[in-house]
Amino acid sequence: MRISILSFTILLTAGLLSVSASGVNGQALNKQVDISFSRQTLDKAIKQLEKTANTPFAYDAVYLGLNQKTIGPATFSQQPLAAVLGRLLSGTGITFKEASGNILLNKSQQQGRLYGKVTDENGDPLPGASVRVAGSTAGALADANGNYTLNLAEGTYAIQASYVGYQIQEFKDILISADKPHQLNITFAGTSLLKEVTVSYGKQRTREVTGAVTEIKTLPMQDMPVMQFGQQLQGKAAGVSVTQSSGQPGRGVSFRIRGAASLATDYQPLFVIDGLPITGSINNINPEEIETVTVLKDASATALYGSRAANGVVLLTTRHAKPGDPKIEFDMNLGVQKIPRGSVPKVMNGEEWAQFMNEKFTDAKTYENPATTVPDIYQNPSQYGEGTNWFNLLTRSAPIQRYNLNILSAREKSSSAVIFGYESQDGVVINTNSKLFSLRINNDVSVGNHNQLKLGFNLAPSYRMDHNNRLTSDGVGGFYERIFEASPINSPYNADGTLATGAYSTGMTTYVNPLALLTKSQDDYITTRILGNGYLSCDFLPGLSGKLNVGVDKGAETRNQFSPSIALSTSSAAPVASTGLSSSVDNFSYTAEGYLNYEKTFLKDHHLTALAGYSAQRFESKSNSVNGTGFPSDDIPYLSAATVISAGTSGTTQYSLLSAIGRINYDYKGRYLLQGALRSDGSSRFGADRKYGYFPSVSAGWVVSDESFMKDFSKIDLLKIRASYGITGNNSFGNFTAIPTLSNYNYILNGVLVQGQTIGSLGNTELAWERNRQFDLGVELAILKNRITFNYDYYHKVSDGLIQARPIPRASGFVNIQYNIGQFEFWGHEFTLNTVNTTGRVGWTTNLNVAVERNLILNLVDPGYLRRNNTVTSDYYRNQVGHHLGEFYGFVNLRLYKDAADLASSAKYKSTGLSDNGSSDIGTLKMKDLNGDGIIDDVNDRTFIGDPTPTFTYGITNNFTYRNFDLSVTMSGQVGGKLLAAAKWAYLTNLDGSRVPLEAAADRWRSEANPGSGVYPRTKTGTTAIGRSVNTQWVESGTYLTAKNISLGYNFKLKNALLLKNLRVYGSVQQAFILTGYTGGSNPEIALSGQDAINGIGVDENAYPVPRTFSFGINATFK
Amino acid sequence: MKNKYILLVLVLLTTATACKKSYIDLAPEDSLSPSTFYQTDDQLQQAAIAAYVPLRDLLINDYHTSEMRSDNTHYLPNPVNRGTATVYRENVSDWNNDANNDYVNAVYYHCYTSISRANIVIGRIPNAAKATDAGKARADGQAKFLRAWNYFKLVRLFGAVPLYLTEVSKAEDAFKDRSKVEEVYAQIIADAKDAITELKAPAKFPQTGEATKGSATMLLADVYVTLKRYADAETLLATLPAMGYGLNANYADAFLPTNKNSKESLFEVQYLEGTAAGSQPNTFVFQFLPKTTTTVLITGAVASNTTGSGWNIPSFDILKTYEPNDKRLEASIGIAEGTFDASFIMKITAVKSPVNYVTPANLQSTPYIKKFVHGPYASATNSGENWPIYRYSEALLLLAEAQNEQGKSPLTALNAVRQRAGLPASTETNQGTLRSIILHERRVELAFENKRFNDLQRSTDGLTIMQAYAAKAKTTYTNLENNAFDIQAYKFLFPIPLPERNLNPGMSQNPGYSF
C-alpha cells in the first residue's frame, strides 16, 4: 500500500545507506545533491535523480521492476548521492555501485540470515511468535522450540517481534550481511500487565482497563474430568461463584456473579461466545473449545450489554490456531466416579426398621389404644438382617470419558482450528448418562499486506444425548428420595424374578419400587445445536476500522419420555396406567452487529479510542408436545404404541432486541484513563410504554506507579486505582409477559366439548427491565517484577424495579401481575492475590481469591416478604424486607417435653388453651413460644433462624512444577453461612412410620425413663408433624473446604521422536475431599435451585450427590 | 480507495436497515389478543363459557366446606399421613381450621375466578361491535347468573366479602375492601334479576347445560328464602313448572349419567368421561370412596384409590336419620365391607346396602357416597358424573319452606318430594314442626349435594344440632385432634383467607378468628 511506503522507507534508511556505501569509494556517489521527490514510481525517481546529479546510471528498468515500485514524497538537501540512493532503494533488494563514473543498479545477490530464539520471561520457548521486518510482509514464525530463521537481502533492518498477549517489541538497526548470520534472541519479559484482555466489543490492554474484569485461561485446566466448563472455574475468580448442587451427569452447575439475585427473572450471567450473546443453555459447549473466559463484573465492563448485563457477563473466547507449525493434538481422559460414602444418609436396615415398627405399634398399644397389635411382619425383626440395601442396588461406580482431537494450523494469512470432542458420563445412579459429540471449526483469513481485511468463519455443531439425567432426582418426590424411603424388608423382585410393584411394608405410605422406577423409566433428550458466526473487519483509514459480525444459534431438542406402569404403580392390584410423552423444541436466533472503531493519538500523549455500533438480535422458538396413555404393554416406549393420545400442544415464542452502542476511551500518557459507554436497548419484551432503555456507565483509572513521585518505590511495578459507576438491566422475564394473553378454558355443553376463551394472565404495559446501579472501586498492585500481583475491588450495587410476580388478592380472579417493584442491595469486597513463589527447578505459583458478599432486601411488594409456600412443613425460608436473601424461617427448638411438669408449664403446639395439650405430649418436640400466648402455632411462633449467606468464600489454586512434573491443587470453600438439613429432618426423621428413618432415630423417646438421645421424639399418633416443620434443629454451619481438583502430570520431553512432539500423562481427582461439619450430607454447595437465592440457597432436600472422580489422561501433540 | 468507502457504507447500511421500530413490536402468535377478541356472538359465548370452568375447581374443594363441615359426613382416619394436605381437610370437618386452610381458601379463590371471568364478559359486551342483541343477552345473562351464584356462595360461607364488578387490568384494581353483606346481596339480586330477564327457559329436555331462566329463577328464590323474603320466593318458584321442570320418577334417576340435564335439573356442572385430549372427567367423586386397592366392586374399574380418598364419608348420624322405607337411603349410600390394613387401606370384599346393615364380627365396614357413582368406568378414577347445583326437588322444598314461613300449607310441595321417595304423605299442620320436617327433608333429599352446612347456618337450630352431633362425634371417631369439634357460633362463617389479608392488611377478619 502506498500510504505506508514512506514510513517503511524512513525506517530503513540510515542502515542501508551505510551498507551500500561501504562497498564503494567513487566520486560520483559522494556528489552532493539537492532533490525533492513527489509520490511517483521508482523509475521516474531514478530518472529524476540521474538528471539532477548529472551522473549516468546503468540499469535494466524492466528487470528491476522499477515501474512497479513506488516511493513517497521526500526531500534531500546537500546529501551525498549515495545517501539518496540508499533511501530510494532501501528494502527493494536493489543494490548500487559506481563503476567508471557510472552508477550501476542491480538486484542484490547477497542474502544474509537472521536467526534466534523467542522465549518468555521464564525462558520457555514461545512457538508461533512472529518475527518480521517492520512494515513488510517478510517474516517468519518461531517453531515449536521457539527458534526462527529469516533470510534477508543484505541491509539494515528494523525487526518487529510479536506474540499474543505481549506488547510488540521492535529492534532497530539490525545489520544483515552475507558474511555471517545475525543472531537475535528475543525475550518477552515482565510484561504480563501489558497483555490484552477480551472486553465487551474488543480487546483492551490490561493496564488500561478501568472496569472489574477477570480473565481465566482455561487451557491449563483441561485436566479436569468434567463435562461442563463451569466446573473448571470453581474457585478461580473472586466474586464468581460457580457451584455444583447436583451430581446429575452433565448438569447441575450454576454461576452467580457478585451475589446476583433477582426475583422473577434469571440470576445467571449473560454468556457471550466469540462476541455473540447466547440465549439458553451453554451445556453443549465442549470445555476444550474454550481458550479464555473473561468475567465482566462491574457496570463499566458490562454496560455495553445493556439490558442483559445486570448479572454480569461471561465472555467465552474459543480456540483459534496460533501462528506456528501445523499440529494435531489428541487428548484422552478416562475416569471413574464414586459417591463419597460420607454423603450417604445412614437409614435403618431391615432388622432395624422392623424393630422400629415393632416398637411404634407397641408404644401405640401402651399409650394410645390397648387394642393395637403389632403386625405379624414386624413380630420378629431379627429375621430380616440387613434386608434390601436400596442404595447399593441403585447406585454404582460410573465411568466418565473424554476424547478430543484438535487439528490446528496457521499460516501467514490464514488460520484454521478444528476441534472434535466426544464426552460420555454415566451417572452414579443407575441407568442415567449423558453423551456429547461436538465439533468446532474456526477459520480466519486476512487479506492485504497489512491484513487490512479480515474474514472469519466459525461453525460449531454439537449433539448431546441425555438419558434419564433429567428425571426429577432432587427434592420432594425425586428419585433420590425414593431410594431412601423404600422399605428394607421388601425385595425389589417378586418370587418369579419380575420386578415387584411397590416397595413398602405395613403402615408405610405407599411407594413405588425405586428399582422399577429407575430401570424402567425412560426420559431421553436429544439436543442438537449449531453455533455459527462470520465476521468481516476492515481497516478503512489509519485508526478507523469497522467490523460486521453475524451469528446464528440454531438449536433443537427432542424428548421421548415413557413411564411404564411398573414405575408408577404402588399396587399390582391397581396398576397406574403407563404414560408417554413426545416433545420437541426448535430454536433459532441470529445476531447482526456492525460497529466502527476509531483510534487516534493527538498532541503526542493524548490517546483516544471510540466505538459506535448497532446490533439487532431476534430469537424464535417453536415447540410441541404430545402425551399418550393406554399402552397395552411396557415393551414399546413410543407413542405409536399408545392407544390414547391424551394431550397435545404446540406453540411459538419470539423476542427481539434492537440496540445501539457507543464507547469512548481516553487516556493521557496511559496514566490517566477515562471511559464512558452507553447502550440503548429496544426490546420486544418491554411493556408498550417502556420500549427503550438506556444504560450508561463511566469509569476512570489512575496508574499511580507512572507518576514521578513513585520513582523511589522501585519495587512497585504497577499501582493502579480505578472506579466505575453505571446502570445495567436484566430483561430475562419472559417474552410476552407484558402483554395479557387469552387462554383456553373449555367446558362441556350438550355432552360435547366447547371452547371457552378469556384472559388468563394480566399484562403490564409499564413492565420494564430490572435496573442495576453499580459502583466499583478497584486497586491493582504488582510488585517485585510482577511476581506478586494483588487486586482489590469494592462494589456496591442496588437492584431495583425487580420484577416480581406481585401477588394480588385472588379475589381479583388473578394470582399475580408482573411488576417492577422489589429492591435489593448488594455490596462486597473481592481480593485476588497471585504470587510466583519460586522459580527455577521447583516452580510454585499461587492464586488466592476471597470474596465477601453481602445482601439486603430493601423493598418487596406487600406484605414485605415472600415465603416459599403456604405449607408450613416446607416453608423453609422467607425473603423479607430488612433481612438477607433466603433466611431460614421456622420454630425455635427446645428439644423434648421432659415430663408432665415440663409439659404443663410449657406452651404446646396447637393447643386451644393452657389446659389443652393440643398436638403435644411428654416426649414430643417442644418449640419456643415466641409471642408468649401460651400456644405454639404456625403463624406467630416462627421466626428467622439462620442466614445462608457466608461470611466469605475463597478459592486457592497452587501450581507446582519440578523437572517434568507438574502438580495443581484447586480448592475452594466458604466460612460462615448456614445450611438447612431439610432432607434429614423433614424426610429421614419422619417418625410416622410412613417411611424409613435414619438409624440414629432408633434412639428416640420411648418413655420418661427411656428418653433416648433427647433429639428424636416419640412416635405418638398426631404429634409428629411438627418435627417436619422447619426449626432450629435443622440449621447447621455451612463452613467448608473442598479440594475441587488435584492433578499431577508428567511431560515426556521428546526430542524429535517421530511425529510426536509432546506427550503429557496425568492423573486427577475431582471433588477430592470436603472438610465440613455438616451432618445432613456432604455437599455443602447444596441448594434447592442452583444458586438462585430467591428459590432457596443452602437448603438440602434430597439432592443427587456430587461424585468424586478419579481420572487418568493423556495429551499428545503431533507435528 | 473507493472500495473501502463502499464497504464502510455497506456496514452502516446493513446495521441501519435493522433500525426499524416494528422490529421490536412483537405479539404472541399462538394466542389471541384481548384487544381484538370479545367482538362476535361466538366470542362472547366463548368468554362466558370460560366463566363456568372454575366451578369444577370449586367443587373439588366445596364438599369440605359445605358438606364435611356438617353432620352429614366425616372422613376416614389417616394417621400414617399427617401431611398438611390431610390435616387441612380434616380440620374443616373437625371445625378446627384456621384462616390458613388451603381447602377453605380454594373455595374463596375459585368463586372469585368465576366472578372475574363473568366481569370480563359483562364489561366487554357494550363494545362488542359485531355481536347481536340476542347474543349479548345470552352472554350477559349467563355471566350474571354465574356472578350472582358465586357471590351467593361467598357471602354465605365468608360473610362480608369484597365486591369486584369490573374487569381487573391493573394491580391497583385488585385491592378492594370487604363490602357489607347487604351490599353483596343487593348485587346478587340485581344480577339474578337481569339473568332471569335475559336468559331463556330451556328449549328442550335434556337441556344443553347452559344456565337458563330456570337456573336464575331458582337462584333468586334461594336467595330470597335465605333472606326470609318468602313471598318473593314463592312468586318466583311458581313460575318454574311452566318452563317444563318436574321431578323424575325415581329419586336415583336424578343422578344417572343417562339423565343429565333432565327436567329435574335447574343447573348442573358438566363433566365428560375420558382420558383423551379434550375430555373433562369428574375425578372427585372417587375421593368419597374409602382408600382401597380394590375399587372394582364399587366402580367397576380397577383403580388404585389409596391416596386422596377417604373423604366425605357419610356420618353415623346421617345413616340413622332416614325414615324407614326411604328409598333415598339405599340410593345415596353404600357400605363397603372388608378389612383395613395397618396403613388404613381397605381391602373391600363386598358392597352392601345400608338398610339394616350390621358389620359382621370378623370384618370392618365403612359407608360411602353412592349416588354419584355409576360404574363401570372405562378408566380408573375418571367419570362423567355431572354435579347437581339445583334440582327441582329443592325448588319444591324451598317452596314448601316459603309457604310454611308465610303460614300457608306447604304440604303439596313437601309431599311431592316425600312420596317420590316412597314415604307416606305428611299431614302435619304445626308450623314449627313443619319447619323441622322441611329441614330434615332437605337433609335427606339433598344429601351430599353441598347444601347441609348452609341449611344449618340459616336454621335457628343449626348450633344446637351441630353441638349435639359433635358430642357424639368426639366419642365415635378416632384419631381426632384434641381441639376437634369445638362448635361455636362464630365458626358458622369461615375466616377470610390469611393470604388475602396478608396482601391487603386493611381487610378485617371475621369475629372469633385469631388471625
Side-chain angles (χ1 to χ4, degrees), chain A residues 507 652 656 750 758 810 871 918, chain B residues 19 23 30 38 84 208 343 482 500:
Chain A
T652 181
S656 55
N750 269 323
T758 199
R810 294 205 37 191
T871 312
Chain B
C19 174
Y23 188 83
D30 53 6
Y38 306 107
T84 47
T208 62
S343 297
N482 286 336
E500 295 286 281

Side-chain angles (χ1 to χ4, degrees), chain B residues 400-422:
Chain B
E401 186 175 348
Q403 288 170 330
N404 186 48
E405 297 299 335
Q406 294 177 80
K408 300 178 187 173
S409 170
L411 291 179
T412 311
L414 176 65
N415 286 334
V417 175
R418 284 180 61 81
Q419 285 173 326
R420 180 176 67 158

Side-chain angles (χ1 to χ4, degrees), chain A residues 576-596:
Chain A
V576 177
S578 307
T579 63
L581 177 151
S582 169
S583 67
S584 72
V585 185
D586 195 286
N587 296 328
F588 175 74
S589 79
Y590 70 80
T591 306
E593 292 179 329
Y595 51 90
L596 293 171

Side-chain angles (χ1 to χ4, degrees), chain A residues 226-263:
Chain A
V226 297
M227 278 184 91
Q228 297 166 88
F229 79 92
Q231 289 165 281
Q232 298 173 339
L233 303 185
Q234 292 185 304
K236 297 290 187 194
V240 182
S241 170
V242 183
T243 66
Q244 185 170 16
S245 51
S246 169
Q248 290 172 319
R251 301 180 67 76
V253 173
S254 59
F255 285 73
R256 188 176 175 206
I257 295 175
R258 289 192 164 174
S262 171
L263 289 164

Side-chain angles (χ1 to χ4, degrees), chain A residues 42 598 1004:
Chain A
L42 188 55
Y598 182 68
R1004 70 193 175 283

